[in-house]
C-alpha cells in the first residue's frame, strides 16, 4: 500500500498519474469508510473495485430491457441482471413471484420480463404503498418513514403497459397488512424485498416464509448498504435460523434459498 509520507511513493504516484493523464485517466485514493455502531452491532464498510465478468454486455434482451427501464429504478445493472437471471434459476420451482418495494417499477419490470421468458405460467405481484417507506423503527439508523415517495401507481402501470407485460398485478398499500390477501397464489417461488427498513422487511419475510417451497429464493436489496443496517440485521438473524442457504456476493444483494425440509408451505 502507498504511504502518503513516503517520498518515493509520492513520486511514483505522480509519475503514474502523468502517464494515465495523457490517456484521460487518473488515480484516486478512495476514502476510508468509518464503521457504524447501531443497536449494539458494528457494521464495517470497505470500498471494493475489481475487474469482473460482465455477462449483461452479451445479453441483448436484457440490454434492451435495461434501456427501457432507465429512470424507473435506483438499482444498478449488476443487481438488475442478478434478478433477471434468478428468475431463470427458479423456473422449475412451483409458485409465483412477489416484489415488495417497487418504487417506479424498474426491477419489477425486470422480474416480469424474465418470468415471461423463463417462467411463463407464473404471476408477478408488484406491491408498494406508492407513498414512501413505512414501518421505520429504532432498528433503522437513517430511514424515518416517507422516503422514496416520488412515484405513483399510474407511473408503474405506464411502464408495465409500454413493455407489454401481461403477467403483472399491481397491489397498492402496505404489504402484507393491506394487500397480502390479494395475492391469489398459495406458493411463492421468489420474493424480492426492497423496503429499506427492518420491520417492513420482517413482515414480508414472515408472510413469504409460510408460502415458499424448498428451492425458493428471498432476495434482499440494500444488504450491507450504509443507512440500511436494519435490513442487514434481519438477514443475519435469518441466517442464524438454519432455514436458509445464505449468499452475499458484494453487490448489495443478500440471497437466501429455502433449504429442503424447512417449513414447507401450507
Amino acid at each position: 500500500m502507498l504511504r502518503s509520507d513516503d517520498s518515493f511513493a509520492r513520486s511514483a504516484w505522480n509519475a503514474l498519474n502523468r502517464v494515465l493523464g495523457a490517456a484521460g485517466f487518473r488515480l484516486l485514493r478512495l476514502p476510508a469508510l468509518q464503521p457504524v455502531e447501531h443497536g449494539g452491532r458494528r457494521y464495517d464498510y470497505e470500498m471494493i473495485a475489481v475487474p469482473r465478468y460482465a455477462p449483461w454486455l452479451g445479453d441483448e434482451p436484457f440490454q434492451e430491457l435495461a434501456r427501457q427501464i432507465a429512470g424507473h429504478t435506483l438499482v444498478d445493472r449488476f443487481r438488475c441482471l442478478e434478478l433477471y437471471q434468478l428468475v431463470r434459476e427458479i423456473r422449475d420451482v412451483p409458485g409465483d413471484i412477489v416484489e415488495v418495494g417497487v418504487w417506479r417499477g424498474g426491477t419489477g419490470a425486470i422480474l416480469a420480463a424474465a418470468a415471461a421468458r423463463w417462467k411463463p405460467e407464473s404471476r408477478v405481484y408488484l406491491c408498494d404503498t406508492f407513498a414512501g417507506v413505512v414501518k421505520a423503527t429504532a432498528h433503522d439508523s437513517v430511514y424515518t418513514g416517507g422516503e422514496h415517495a416520488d412515484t405513483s401507481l399510474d407511473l408503474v402501470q405506464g411502464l408495465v403497459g409500454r413493455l407489454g407485460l401481461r403477467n403483472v398485478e399491481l397491489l397498492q398499500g402496505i404489504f402484507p397488512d393491506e394487500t397480502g390477501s390479494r395475492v391469489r397464489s398459495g406458493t411463492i417461488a421468489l420474493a424480492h424485498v426492497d423496503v429499506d427498513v427492518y420491520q417492513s422487511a420482517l413482515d414480508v419475510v414472515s408472510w413469504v416464509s409460510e408460502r415458499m417451497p424448498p428451492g425458493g429464493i428471498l432476495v434482499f436489496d440494500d444488504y450491507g448498504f450504509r443507512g440500511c443496517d436494519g435490513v442487514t440485521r434481519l438477514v443475519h438473524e435469518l441466517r442464524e435460523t438454519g432455514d436458509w442457504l445464505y449468499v452475499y456476493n458484494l453487490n448489495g444483494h443478500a440471497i437466501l434459498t429455502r433449504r429442503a425440509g424447512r417449513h414447507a408451505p401450507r
Side-chain angles (χ1 to χ4, degrees):
M1 173 180 282
L2 296 179
R3 294 174 49 185
S4 59
D5 59 350
D6 186 324
S7 60
F8 175 79
R10 287 199 302 271
S11 297
W13 178 277
N14 293 333
L16 185 54
N17 256 331
R18 285 194 294 272
V19 173
L20 291 173
F25 299 94
R26 62 180 296 205
L27 291 174
L28 292 174
R29 288 186 176 90
L30 295 175
L33 299 179
Q34 297 299 314
V36 173
E37 297 278 351
H38 182 72
R41 294 171 181 249
R42 174 185 167 116
Y43 299 87
D44 294 286
Y45 300 89
E46 181 180 23
M47 297 294 291
I48 300 174
V50 295
R52 68 188 79 195
Y53 171 49
W56 56 88
L57 297 178
D59 188 331
E60 185 51 40
F62 174 79
Q63 291 276 58
E64 178 57 28
L65 182 59
R67 286 190 284 269
Q68 294 190 63
I69 67 164
H72 285 264
T73 185
L74 299 172
V75 176
D76 59 42
R77 59 186 174 182
F78 313 123
R79 287 175 286 155
C80 283
L81 179 76
E82 185 159 64
L83 290 173
Y84 190 69
Q85 290 292 334
L86 282 173
V87 174
R88 181 179 183 178
E89 296 304 313
I90 53 95
R91 63 191 182 277
D92 295 326
V93 177
D96 289 329
I97 295 168
V98 171
E99 177 178 75
V100 186
V102 174
W103 192 52
R104 296 182 177 180
T107 55
I110 291 263
L111 292 168
R117 182 176 179 182
W118 289 304
K119 197 173 171 58
E121 77 288 353
S122 64
R123 302 294 295 168
V124 180
Y125 294 90
L126 304 184
C127 314
D128 203 299
T129 64
F130 299 104
V133 170
V134 295
K135 301 183 181 179
T137 68
H139 288 309
D140 310 296
S141 62
V142 173
Y143 283 91
T144 58
E147 296 87 354
H148 306 308
D150 52 339
T151 184
S152 70
L153 181 65
D154 289 343
L155 186 69
V156 178
Q157 285 176 328
L159 176 65
V160 168
R162 287 195 303 275
L163 293 174
L165 299 170
R166 299 180 180 179
N167 57 352
V168 170
E169 295 193 33
L170 295 172
L171 305 182
Q172 183 173 17
I174 298 173
F175 187 93
D177 314 46
E178 299 171 351
T179 56
S181 61
R182 294 170 57 191
V183 178
R184 295 190 299 274
S185 174
T187 309
I188 302 300
L190 185 147
H192 180 217
V193 185
D194 189 4
V195 295
D196 302 311
V197 295
Y198 177 90
Q199 188 61 51
S200 184
L202 175 61
D203 290 347
V204 174
V205 171
S206 297
W207 185 92
V208 168
S209 293
E210 297 179 353
R211 296 163 174 83
M212 183 166 281
I217 293 176
L218 279 173
V219 186
F220 291 86
D221 196 60
D222 301 316
Y223 174 72
F225 279 21
R226 292 170 71 89
C228 293
D229 34 295
V231 174
T232 305
R233 178 189 182 116
L234 175 61
V235 170
H236 292 171
E237 291 173 355
L238 293 170
R239 185 184 187 187
E240 292 301 315
T241 68
D243 292 341
W244 307 90
L245 175 67
Y246 159 92
V247 175
Y248 171 38
N249 59 3
L250 304 182
N251 65 1
H253 271 168
I255 302 169
L256 302 183
T257 304
R258 168 57 56 79
R259 296 182 188 273
R262 297 285 187 162
H263 301 292
R266 58 192 179 187

CSV table of all heavy atoms in Angstrom, one decimal, residues 140-171:
chain,number,residue,atom,x,y,z
A,140,ASP,N,-33.5,1.1,12.6
A,140,ASP,CA,-33.1,1.8,11.3
A,140,ASP,C,-32.4,3.1,11.7
A,140,ASP,O,-33.0,3.9,12.3
A,140,ASP,CB,-34.3,2.0,10.4
A,140,ASP,CG,-35.1,0.7,10.2
A,140,ASP,OD1,-34.5,-0.3,9.6
A,140,ASP,OD2,-36.2,0.6,10.7
A,141,SER,N,-31.2,3.3,11.2
A,141,SER,CA,-30.4,4.4,11.6
A,141,SER,C,-30.6,5.7,10.8
A,141,SER,O,-30.3,6.8,11.3
A,141,SER,CB,-28.9,4.1,11.6
A,141,SER,OG,-28.5,3.8,10.3
A,142,VAL,N,-31.2,5.5,9.6
A,142,VAL,CA,-31.4,6.7,8.7
A,142,VAL,C,-32.8,6.9,8.3
A,142,VAL,O,-33.4,8.0,8.4
A,142,VAL,CB,-30.5,6.5,7.4
A,142,VAL,CG1,-30.8,7.6,6.4
A,142,VAL,CG2,-29.0,6.5,7.8
A,143,TYR,N,-33.5,5.8,7.9
A,143,TYR,CA,-34.9,6.0,7.5
A,143,TYR,C,-35.8,6.3,8.6
A,143,TYR,O,-35.7,5.7,9.7
A,143,TYR,CB,-35.4,4.7,6.8
A,143,TYR,CG,-34.8,4.6,5.4
A,143,TYR,CD1,-33.6,3.9,5.1
A,143,TYR,CD2,-35.5,5.1,4.3
A,143,TYR,CE1,-33.1,3.8,3.8
A,143,TYR,CE2,-35.0,5.0,3.0
A,143,TYR,CZ,-33.8,4.3,2.8
A,143,TYR,OH,-33.3,4.2,1.5
A,144,THR,N,-36.8,7.3,8.4
A,144,THR,CA,-37.7,7.6,9.4
A,144,THR,C,-39.2,7.4,8.9
A,144,THR,O,-40.1,7.5,9.7
A,144,THR,CB,-37.5,9.1,9.8
A,144,THR,OG1,-37.7,9.9,8.7
A,144,THR,CG2,-36.2,9.3,10.5
A,145,GLY,N,-39.3,7.2,7.6
A,145,GLY,CA,-40.7,7.0,7.0
A,145,GLY,C,-41.0,8.0,6.0
A,145,GLY,O,-40.7,9.2,6.2
A,146,GLY,N,-41.6,7.6,4.9
A,146,GLY,CA,-42.0,8.5,3.9
A,146,GLY,C,-41.0,8.7,2.7
A,146,GLY,O,-41.3,9.4,1.7
A,147,GLU,N,-39.8,8.2,2.9
A,147,GLU,CA,-38.8,8.3,1.8
A,147,GLU,C,-39.2,7.6,0.6
A,147,GLU,O,-40.0,6.6,0.6
A,147,GLU,CB,-37.4,7.8,2.3
A,147,GLU,CG,-36.8,8.6,3.5
A,147,GLU,CD,-37.3,8.1,4.8
A,147,GLU,OE1,-38.2,7.2,4.9
A,147,GLU,OE2,-36.8,8.6,5.8
A,148,HIS,N,-38.7,8.0,-0.6
A,148,HIS,CA,-39.0,7.3,-1.9
A,148,HIS,C,-40.5,7.4,-2.3
A,148,HIS,O,-41.0,6.5,-2.9
A,148,HIS,CB,-38.5,5.9,-1.9
A,148,HIS,CG,-37.1,5.7,-1.5
A,148,HIS,ND1,-36.1,6.4,-2.1
A,148,HIS,CD2,-36.5,4.9,-0.6
A,148,HIS,CE1,-34.9,6.1,-1.6
A,148,HIS,NE2,-35.1,5.1,-0.6
A,149,ALA,N,-41.1,8.6,-1.9
A,149,ALA,CA,-42.5,8.8,-2.3
A,149,ALA,C,-42.7,9.4,-3.7
A,149,ALA,O,-43.8,9.6,-4.1
A,149,ALA,CB,-43.2,9.6,-1.2
A,150,ASP,N,-41.6,9.6,-4.4
A,150,ASP,CA,-41.6,10.2,-5.7
A,150,ASP,C,-42.0,9.2,-6.8
A,150,ASP,O,-41.2,9.0,-7.7
A,150,ASP,CB,-40.3,11.0,-6.0
A,150,ASP,CG,-39.1,10.1,-5.8
A,150,ASP,OD1,-39.2,9.1,-5.1
A,150,ASP,OD2,-38.0,10.5,-6.4
A,151,THR,N,-43.2,8.6,-6.7
A,151,THR,CA,-43.6,7.6,-7.6
A,151,THR,C,-45.1,7.6,-7.6
A,151,THR,O,-45.8,8.4,-6.8
A,151,THR,CB,-43.1,6.2,-7.3
A,151,THR,OG1,-43.5,5.3,-8.3
A,151,THR,CG2,-43.5,5.8,-5.9
A,152,SER,N,-45.8,6.8,-8.3
A,152,SER,CA,-47.2,6.6,-8.3
A,152,SER,C,-47.6,5.3,-9.0
A,152,SER,O,-46.8,4.7,-9.8
A,152,SER,CB,-47.9,7.8,-9.0
A,152,SER,OG,-47.7,7.7,-10.4
A,153,LEU,N,-48.8,4.8,-8.7
A,153,LEU,CA,-49.3,3.6,-9.3
A,153,LEU,C,-49.4,3.8,-10.8
A,153,LEU,O,-49.1,3.0,-11.6
A,153,LEU,CB,-50.7,3.3,-8.7
A,153,LEU,CG,-51.4,2.1,-9.2
A,153,LEU,CD1,-50.6,0.8,-8.9
A,153,LEU,CD2,-52.8,2.0,-8.7
A,154,ASP,N,-49.9,5.0,-11.2
A,154,ASP,CA,-50.0,5.3,-12.7
A,154,ASP,C,-48.7,5.2,-13.4
A,154,ASP,O,-48.6,4.7,-14.5
A,154,ASP,CB,-50.7,6.7,-12.9
A,154,ASP,CG,-52.1,6.7,-12.5
A,154,ASP,OD1,-52.7,5.6,-12.4
A,154,ASP,OD2,-52.7,7.8,-12.3
A,155,LEU,N,-47.6,5.7,-12.7
A,155,LEU,CA,-46.3,5.7,-13.3
A,155,LEU,C,-45.9,4.2,-13.6
A,155,LEU,O,-45.4,3.9,-14.7
A,155,LEU,CB,-45.3,6.4,-12.4
A,155,LEU,CG,-43.9,6.5,-13.0
A,155,LEU,CD1,-43.9,7.6,-14.1
A,155,LEU,CD2,-42.9,7.0,-11.8
A,156,VAL,N,-46.1,3.4,-12.7
A,156,VAL,CA,-45.7,2.0,-12.8
A,156,VAL,C,-46.6,1.3,-13.9
A,156,VAL,O,-46.1,0.5,-14.7
A,156,VAL,CB,-45.7,1.2,-11.5
A,156,VAL,CG1,-45.3,-0.2,-11.7
A,156,VAL,CG2,-44.7,1.9,-10.5
A,157,GLN,N,-47.9,1.6,-13.8
A,157,GLN,CA,-48.8,1.0,-14.8
A,157,GLN,C,-48.4,1.4,-16.2
A,157,GLN,O,-48.5,0.6,-17.1
A,157,GLN,CB,-50.2,1.5,-14.5
A,157,GLN,CG,-50.9,0.8,-13.3
A,157,GLN,CD,-52.3,1.3,-13.0
A,157,GLN,OE1,-52.6,2.5,-13.3
A,157,GLN,NE2,-53.2,0.5,-12.5
A,158,GLY,N,-47.9,2.6,-16.4
A,158,GLY,CA,-47.5,3.1,-17.7
A,158,GLY,C,-46.3,2.3,-18.2
A,158,GLY,O,-46.2,1.9,-19.4
A,159,LEU,N,-45.3,2.0,-17.3
A,159,LEU,CA,-44.1,1.3,-17.7
A,159,LEU,C,-44.5,-0.2,-18.1
A,159,LEU,O,-44.1,-0.7,-19.1
A,159,LEU,CB,-43.1,1.3,-16.5
A,159,LEU,CG,-41.9,0.4,-16.8
A,159,LEU,CD1,-41.0,1.0,-17.9
A,159,LEU,CD2,-41.1,0.3,-15.5
A,160,VAL,N,-45.3,-0.8,-17.2
A,160,VAL,CA,-45.8,-2.2,-17.5
A,160,VAL,C,-46.5,-2.2,-18.8
A,160,VAL,O,-46.3,-3.2,-19.6
A,160,VAL,CB,-46.7,-2.7,-16.3
A,160,VAL,CG1,-47.4,-4.0,-16.7
A,160,VAL,CG2,-45.8,-2.8,-15.1
A,161,GLY,N,-47.3,-1.2,-19.1
A,161,GLY,CA,-48.1,-1.2,-20.4
A,161,GLY,C,-47.2,-1.1,-21.6
A,161,GLY,O,-47.4,-1.7,-22.6
A,162,ARG,N,-46.2,-0.1,-21.5
A,162,ARG,CA,-45.3,0.1,-22.6
A,162,ARG,C,-44.5,-1.1,-22.9
A,162,ARG,O,-44.2,-1.4,-24.1
A,162,ARG,CB,-44.4,1.3,-22.3
A,162,ARG,CG,-45.0,2.6,-22.3
A,162,ARG,CD,-44.0,3.7,-22.4
A,162,ARG,NE,-43.1,3.7,-21.2
A,162,ARG,CZ,-43.3,4.3,-20.1
A,162,ARG,NH1,-44.5,4.8,-19.8
A,162,ARG,NH2,-42.4,4.2,-19.1
A,163,LEU,N,-44.2,-1.9,-21.9
A,163,LEU,CA,-43.4,-3.1,-22.1
A,163,LEU,C,-44.2,-4.3,-22.5
A,163,LEU,O,-43.7,-5.4,-22.8
A,163,LEU,CB,-42.6,-3.4,-20.9
A,163,LEU,CG,-41.5,-2.4,-20.5
A,163,LEU,CD1,-40.8,-2.8,-19.2
A,163,LEU,CD2,-40.4,-2.4,-21.6
A,164,GLY,N,-45.5,-4.2,-22.5
A,164,GLY,CA,-46.4,-5.3,-22.9
A,164,GLY,C,-46.4,-6.4,-21.9
A,164,GLY,O,-46.6,-7.6,-22.3
A,165,LEU,N,-46.2,-6.2,-20.6
A,165,LEU,CA,-46.1,-7.2,-19.6
A,165,LEU,C,-47.5,-7.6,-19.1
A,165,LEU,O,-48.1,-6.8,-18.4
A,165,LEU,CB,-45.2,-6.8,-18.5
A,165,LEU,CG,-43.7,-6.5,-18.9
A,165,LEU,CD1,-43.0,-5.8,-17.8
A,165,LEU,CD2,-43.0,-7.7,-19.3
A,166,ARG,N,-48.0,-8.7,-19.5
A,166,ARG,CA,-49.3,-9.1,-19.1
A,166,ARG,C,-49.4,-10.1,-17.9
A,166,ARG,O,-50.5,-10.5,-17.6
A,166,ARG,CB,-50.0,-9.8,-20.3
A,166,ARG,CG,-50.1,-8.8,-21.6
A,166,ARG,CD,-50.7,-9.5,-22.7
A,166,ARG,NE,-50.8,-8.6,-23.9
A,166,ARG,CZ,-51.3,-8.9,-25.1
A,166,ARG,NH1,-51.8,-10.1,-25.3
A,166,ARG,NH2,-51.3,-8.0,-26.0
A,167,ASN,N,-48.3,-10.3,-17.3
A,167,ASN,CA,-48.2,-11.2,-16.2
A,167,ASN,C,-48.1,-10.5,-14.9
A,167,ASN,O,-47.8,-11.1,-13.8
A,167,ASN,CB,-47.1,-12.2,-16.3
A,167,ASN,CG,-45.7,-11.5,-16.5
A,167,ASN,OD1,-45.7,-10.3,-16.6
A,167,ASN,ND2,-44.6,-12.2,-16.5
A,168,VAL,N,-48.4,-9.2,-14.9
A,168,VAL,CA,-48.2,-8.4,-13.7
A,168,VAL,C,-49.5,-8.0,-13.0
A,168,VAL,O,-50.5,-7.7,-13.7
A,168,VAL,CB,-47.4,-7.1,-14.1
A,168,VAL,CG1,-47.4,-6.1,-12.9
A,168,VAL,CG2,-46.0,-7.4,-14.5
A,169,GLU,N,-49.5,-8.0,-11.7
A,169,GLU,CA,-50.6,-7.5,-10.9
A,169,GLU,C,-50.0,-6.5,-9.9
A,169,GLU,O,-49.0,-6.8,-9.2
A,169,GLU,CB,-51.3,-8.6,-10.1
A,169,GLU,CG,-52.1,-9.5,-11.1
A,169,GLU,CD,-53.1,-10.4,-10.4
A,169,GLU,OE1,-53.7,-9.9,-9.4
A,169,GLU,OE2,-53.3,-11.5,-10.8
A,170,LEU,N,-50.5,-5.2,-9.9
A,170,LEU,CA,-50.0,-4.2,-9.0
A,170,LEU,C,-50.9,-4.1,-7.8
A,170,LEU,O,-52.2,-4.0,-7.9
A,170,LEU,CB,-50.0,-2.8,-9.8
A,170,LEU,CG,-49.1,-2.7,-11.0
A,170,LEU,CD1,-49.3,-1.4,-11.7
A,170,LEU,CD2,-47.6,-2.8,-10.5
A,171,LEU,N,-50.3,-4.1,-6.7
A,171,LEU,CA,-51.0,-4.0,-5.4
A,171,LEU,C,-50.6,-2.8,-4.6
A,171,LEU,O,-49.4,-2.7,-4.2
A,171,LEU,CB,-50.8,-5.3,-4.6
A,171,LEU,CG,-51.1,-6.6,-5.2
A,171,LEU,CD1,-50.9,-7.8,-4.3
A,171,LEU,CD2,-52.6,-6.7,-5.8
